[in-house]
């Protein structure tokens, strides 16, 4: 029994991986033709960068980026601490097995299976660490762009260059936010992975529940509804996408708006 892993446990692990990968692909595809937190916020980021270009002082913009980066740094640091704890837990897998065996509603488990569960958690948090640190670097790139943003009275910069700056600076922030989002999803799925210690059916149910929570928050949340109402972004996001981007990059006094 010390090296036994049931087919149900393998099936639960497979279902967990399918849920994670399939939902990530689904969310990315759905965001292209349905309003989501990522698609709506991308338009707001373009508006942010466009308005940054007409401000003389950009202290508030730099502070906002620093605040975003600080949030990512917190989670990256948390990953290191969690990994340290998991590596310690791996060295005492036999004791953990004995503790789980005393839980009356937990399924029977072998020491090898306990080690596999801990290794899964270690893999999740290693992945989260890499995504958070990449997000931190990209927010750093965005800070450089804010510092390099042309002044409002700089006549050497054309209107087209200013529009390109707004689009691509927003894109850098958008990519940083995507990495941050992937790291947060890893935290969500790690909680589902913890339920595997109780048994495969708990694991399957928890992984399915995480997908439901993520879908509700990214596509059906009250926050998304509010973000869509700001400047009517959600109403026009996919109905007239090109016009939205064109107008979002126009100056307020431009007669073409």
């Amino acid at each position: 029994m010390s090296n036994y892993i049931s087919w149900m446990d393998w099936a639960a692990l497979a279902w967990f991986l399918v849920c994670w990968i399939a939902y990530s692909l689904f969310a990315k595809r759905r965001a292209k033709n349905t309003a989501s937190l990522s698609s709506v916020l991308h338009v707001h980021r373009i508006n942010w960068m466009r308005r940054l270009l007409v401000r003389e002082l950009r202290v508030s913009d730099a502070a906002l980026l620093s605040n975003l980066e600080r949030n990512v740094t917190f989670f990256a640091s948390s990953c290191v601490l969690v990994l340290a704890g998991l590596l310690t837990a791996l060295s005492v897998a036999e004791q953990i097995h004995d503790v789980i065996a005393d839980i009356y509603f937990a399924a029977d488990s072998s020491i090898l299976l306990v080690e596999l569960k801990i290794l899964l958690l270690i893999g999740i948090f290693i992945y989260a660490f890499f995504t958070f640190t990449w997000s931190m670097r990209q927010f750093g790139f965005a800070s450089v762009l804010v510092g390099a943003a042309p002044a409002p009275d700089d006549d050497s910069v054309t209107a087209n260059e200013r529009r390109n700056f707004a689009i691509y600076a927003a894109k850098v922030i958008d990519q940083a936010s995507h990495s941050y989002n992937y790291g947060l999803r890893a935290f969500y799925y790690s909680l589902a992975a913890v339920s595997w210690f109780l048994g495969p059916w708990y694991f399957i149910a928890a992984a399915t529940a995480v997908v439901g929570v993520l879908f509700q928050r990214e596509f059906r949340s009250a926050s998304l509804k509010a973000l869509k109402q700001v400047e009517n972004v959600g109403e026009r996001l996919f109905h007239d996408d090109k016009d939205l981007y064109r107008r979002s990059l126009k100056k307020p006094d431009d007669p073409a708006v």
Side-chain angles (χ1 to χ4, degrees), residues 89-101 111 114-115 118:
L90 189 61
S91 65
V92 291
E94 187 173 351
Q95 290 91 318
I96 295 175
H97 170 267
D98 294 338
V99 171
I100 296 173
I111 296 176
V114 170
E115 292 174 341
I118 297 173

PDB file of all heavy atoms in Angstrom, residues 89-101 111 114-115 118:
ATOM      1  N   ALA A  89       7.428  20.023   4.023  1.00  0.00           N
ATOM      2  CA  ALA A  89       6.382  19.007   4.130  1.00  0.00           C
ATOM      3  C   ALA A  89       6.752  17.743   3.370  1.00  0.00           C
ATOM      4  O   ALA A  89       6.417  16.621   3.794  1.00  0.00           O
ATOM      5  CB  ALA A  89       5.063  19.571   3.599  1.00  0.00           C
ATOM      6  N   LEU A  90       7.471  17.903   2.244  1.00  0.00           N
ATOM      7  CA  LEU A  90       7.867  16.739   1.454  1.00  0.00           C
ATOM      8  C   LEU A  90       8.800  15.824   2.249  1.00  0.00           C
ATOM      9  O   LEU A  90       8.790  14.606   2.067  1.00  0.00           O
ATOM     10  CB  LEU A  90       8.538  17.204   0.161  1.00  0.00           C
ATOM     11  CG  LEU A  90       8.825  16.136  -0.901  1.00  0.00           C
ATOM     12  CD1 LEU A  90       7.531  15.483  -1.368  1.00  0.00           C
ATOM     13  CD2 LEU A  90       9.553  16.760  -2.086  1.00  0.00           C
ATOM     14  N   SER A  91       9.579  16.406   3.129  1.00  0.00           N
ATOM     15  CA  SER A  91      10.519  15.607   3.924  1.00  0.00           C
ATOM     16  C   SER A  91       9.838  14.858   5.067  1.00  0.00           C
ATOM     17  O   SER A  91      10.445  13.970   5.679  1.00  0.00           O
ATOM     18  CB  SER A  91      11.631  16.502   4.483  1.00  0.00           C
ATOM     19  OG  SER A  91      11.095  17.440   5.408  1.00  0.00           O
ATOM     20  N   VAL A  92       8.602  15.226   5.355  1.00  0.00           N
ATOM     21  CA  VAL A  92       7.865  14.544   6.441  1.00  0.00           C
ATOM     22  C   VAL A  92       6.555  13.982   5.894  1.00  0.00           C
ATOM     23  O   VAL A  92       5.517  14.010   6.558  1.00  0.00           O
ATOM     24  CB  VAL A  92       7.594  15.514   7.620  1.00  0.00           C
ATOM     25  CG1 VAL A  92       8.883  15.875   8.325  1.00  0.00           C
ATOM     26  CG2 VAL A  92       6.886  16.779   7.147  1.00  0.00           C
ATOM     27  N   ALA A  93       6.613  13.459   4.672  1.00  0.00           N
ATOM     28  CA  ALA A  93       5.403  12.942   4.015  1.00  0.00           C
ATOM     29  C   ALA A  93       4.766  11.804   4.809  1.00  0.00           C
ATOM     30  O   ALA A  93       3.540  11.664   4.848  1.00  0.00           O
ATOM     31  CB  ALA A  93       5.739  12.484   2.602  1.00  0.00           C
ATOM     32  N   GLU A  94       5.580  11.003   5.471  1.00  0.00           N
ATOM     33  CA  GLU A  94       5.037   9.873   6.238  1.00  0.00           C
ATOM     34  C   GLU A  94       4.188  10.360   7.402  1.00  0.00           C
ATOM     35  O   GLU A  94       3.105   9.817   7.664  1.00  0.00           O
ATOM     36  CB  GLU A  94       6.178   8.996   6.743  1.00  0.00           C
ATOM     37  CG  GLU A  94       5.687   7.708   7.394  1.00  0.00           C
ATOM     38  CD  GLU A  94       6.831   6.770   7.724  1.00  0.00           C
ATOM     39  OE1 GLU A  94       7.974   7.051   7.299  1.00  0.00           O
ATOM     40  OE2 GLU A  94       6.582   5.755   8.406  1.00  0.00           O
ATOM     41  N   GLN A  95       4.653  11.408   8.090  1.00  0.00           N
ATOM     42  CA  GLN A  95       3.865  11.959   9.195  1.00  0.00           C
ATOM     43  C   GLN A  95       2.565  12.585   8.689  1.00  0.00           C
ATOM     44  O   GLN A  95       1.518  12.461   9.329  1.00  0.00           O
ATOM     45  CB  GLN A  95       4.686  13.005   9.958  1.00  0.00           C
ATOM     46  CG  GLN A  95       5.837  12.424  10.764  1.00  0.00           C
ATOM     47  CD  GLN A  95       7.134  12.367   9.988  1.00  0.00           C
ATOM     48  OE1 GLN A  95       7.140  12.009   8.810  1.00  0.00           O
ATOM     49  NE2 GLN A  95       8.228  12.731  10.640  1.00  0.00           N
ATOM     50  N   ILE A  96       2.646  13.260   7.536  1.00  0.00           N
ATOM     51  CA  ILE A  96       1.435  13.844   6.956  1.00  0.00           C
ATOM     52  C   ILE A  96       0.447  12.744   6.594  1.00  0.00           C
ATOM     53  O   ILE A  96      -0.769  12.881   6.810  1.00  0.00           O
ATOM     54  CB  ILE A  96       1.791  14.685   5.719  1.00  0.00           C
ATOM     55  CG1 ILE A  96       2.634  15.892   6.131  1.00  0.00           C
ATOM     56  CG2 ILE A  96       0.536  15.144   4.993  1.00  0.00           C
ATOM     57  CD1 ILE A  96       3.141  16.715   4.966  1.00  0.00           C
ATOM     58  N   HIS A  97       0.967  11.631   6.076  1.00  0.00           N
ATOM     59  CA  HIS A  97       0.103  10.488   5.745  1.00  0.00           C
ATOM     60  C   HIS A  97      -0.630   9.990   6.987  1.00  0.00           C
ATOM     61  O   HIS A  97      -1.828   9.688   6.935  1.00  0.00           O
ATOM     62  CB  HIS A  97       0.957   9.376   5.138  1.00  0.00           C
ATOM     63  CG  HIS A  97       0.231   8.085   4.972  1.00  0.00           C
ATOM     64  ND1 HIS A  97       0.253   7.082   5.931  1.00  0.00           N
ATOM     65  CD2 HIS A  97      -0.556   7.623   3.970  1.00  0.00           C
ATOM     66  CE1 HIS A  97      -0.473   6.069   5.524  1.00  0.00           C
ATOM     67  NE2 HIS A  97      -0.980   6.360   4.333  1.00  0.00           N
ATOM     68  N   ASP A  98       0.072   9.919   8.102  1.00  0.00           N
ATOM     69  CA  ASP A  98      -0.549   9.444   9.339  1.00  0.00           C
ATOM     70  C   ASP A  98      -1.630  10.411   9.835  1.00  0.00           C
ATOM     71  O   ASP A  98      -2.673   9.982  10.342  1.00  0.00           O
ATOM     72  CB  ASP A  98       0.518   9.265  10.421  1.00  0.00           C
ATOM     73  CG  ASP A  98       1.504   8.153  10.079  1.00  0.00           C
ATOM     74  OD1 ASP A  98       1.145   7.279   9.270  1.00  0.00           O
ATOM     75  OD2 ASP A  98       2.644   8.176  10.602  1.00  0.00           O
ATOM     76  N   VAL A  99      -1.377  11.712   9.676  1.00  0.00           N
ATOM     77  CA  VAL A  99      -2.369  12.711  10.089  1.00  0.00           C
ATOM     78  C   VAL A  99      -3.634  12.592   9.248  1.00  0.00           C
ATOM     79  O   VAL A  99      -4.759  12.611   9.762  1.00  0.00           O
ATOM     80  CB  VAL A  99      -1.781  14.128   9.978  1.00  0.00           C
ATOM     81  CG1 VAL A  99      -2.879  15.177  10.198  1.00  0.00           C
ATOM     82  CG2 VAL A  99      -0.660  14.324  10.985  1.00  0.00           C
ATOM     83  N   ILE A 100      -3.457  12.455   7.929  1.00  0.00           N
ATOM     84  CA  ILE A 100      -4.615  12.339   7.039  1.00  0.00           C
ATOM     85  C   ILE A 100      -5.393  11.057   7.335  1.00  0.00           C
ATOM     86  O   ILE A 100      -6.626  11.035   7.262  1.00  0.00           O
ATOM     87  CB  ILE A 100      -4.153  12.366   5.560  1.00  0.00           C
ATOM     88  CG1 ILE A 100      -3.525  13.724   5.239  1.00  0.00           C
ATOM     89  CG2 ILE A 100      -5.322  12.106   4.615  1.00  0.00           C
ATOM     90  CD1 ILE A 100      -2.887  13.789   3.867  1.00  0.00           C
ATOM     91  N   ALA A 101      -4.683   9.996   7.680  1.00  0.00           N
ATOM     92  CA  ALA A 101      -5.342   8.722   7.977  1.00  0.00           C
ATOM     93  C   ALA A 101      -6.267   8.836   9.184  1.00  0.00           C
ATOM     94  O   ALA A 101      -7.232   8.059   9.311  1.00  0.00           O
ATOM     95  CB  ALA A 101      -4.295   7.643   8.221  1.00  0.00           C
ATOM     96  N   ILE A 111       1.744   6.632   1.029  1.00  0.00           N
ATOM     97  CA  ILE A 111       2.794   7.639   1.225  1.00  0.00           C
ATOM     98  C   ILE A 111       3.239   8.211  -0.112  1.00  0.00           C
ATOM     99  O   ILE A 111       3.467   9.420  -0.252  1.00  0.00           O
ATOM    100  CB  ILE A 111       3.987   7.012   1.980  1.00  0.00           C
ATOM    101  CG1 ILE A 111       3.558   6.577   3.380  1.00  0.00           C
ATOM    102  CG2 ILE A 111       5.148   8.005   2.061  1.00  0.00           C
ATOM    103  CD1 ILE A 111       4.647   5.853   4.162  1.00  0.00           C
ATOM    104  N   VAL A 114       0.747  10.780  -1.197  1.00  0.00           N
ATOM    105  CA  VAL A 114       0.924  12.023  -0.444  1.00  0.00           C
ATOM    106  C   VAL A 114       2.075  12.837  -1.018  1.00  0.00           C
ATOM    107  O   VAL A 114       1.986  14.059  -1.190  1.00  0.00           O
ATOM    108  CB  VAL A 114       1.162  11.727   1.055  1.00  0.00           C
ATOM    109  CG1 VAL A 114       1.585  12.993   1.799  1.00  0.00           C
ATOM    110  CG2 VAL A 114      -0.089  11.146   1.687  1.00  0.00           C
ATOM    111  N   GLU A 115       3.153  12.158  -1.360  1.00  0.00           N
ATOM    112  CA  GLU A 115       4.297  12.844  -1.966  1.00  0.00           C
ATOM    113  C   GLU A 115       3.919  13.451  -3.315  1.00  0.00           C
ATOM    114  O   GLU A 115       4.343  14.563  -3.646  1.00  0.00           O
ATOM    115  CB  GLU A 115       5.463  11.870  -2.125  1.00  0.00           C
ATOM    116  CG  GLU A 115       6.072  11.433  -0.793  1.00  0.00           C
ATOM    117  CD  GLU A 115       7.120  10.360  -0.957  1.00  0.00           C
ATOM    118  OE1 GLU A 115       7.125   9.692  -2.023  1.00  0.00           O
ATOM    119  OE2 GLU A 115       7.941  10.178  -0.025  1.00  0.00           O
ATOM    120  N   ILE A 118       1.968  16.653  -2.735  1.00  0.00           N
ATOM    121  CA  ILE A 118       2.846  17.761  -2.337  1.00  0.00           C
ATOM    122  C   ILE A 118       3.640  18.265  -3.542  1.00  0.00           C
ATOM    123  O   ILE A 118       3.806  19.476  -3.733  1.00  0.00           O
ATOM    124  CB  ILE A 118       3.795  17.321  -1.210  1.00  0.00           C
ATOM    125  CG1 ILE A 118       2.992  16.951   0.043  1.00  0.00           C
ATOM    126  CG2 ILE A 118       4.783  18.435  -0.873  1.00  0.00           C
ATOM    127  CD1 ILE A 118       3.831  16.345   1.158  1.00  0.00           C
TER     128      ILE A 118
END
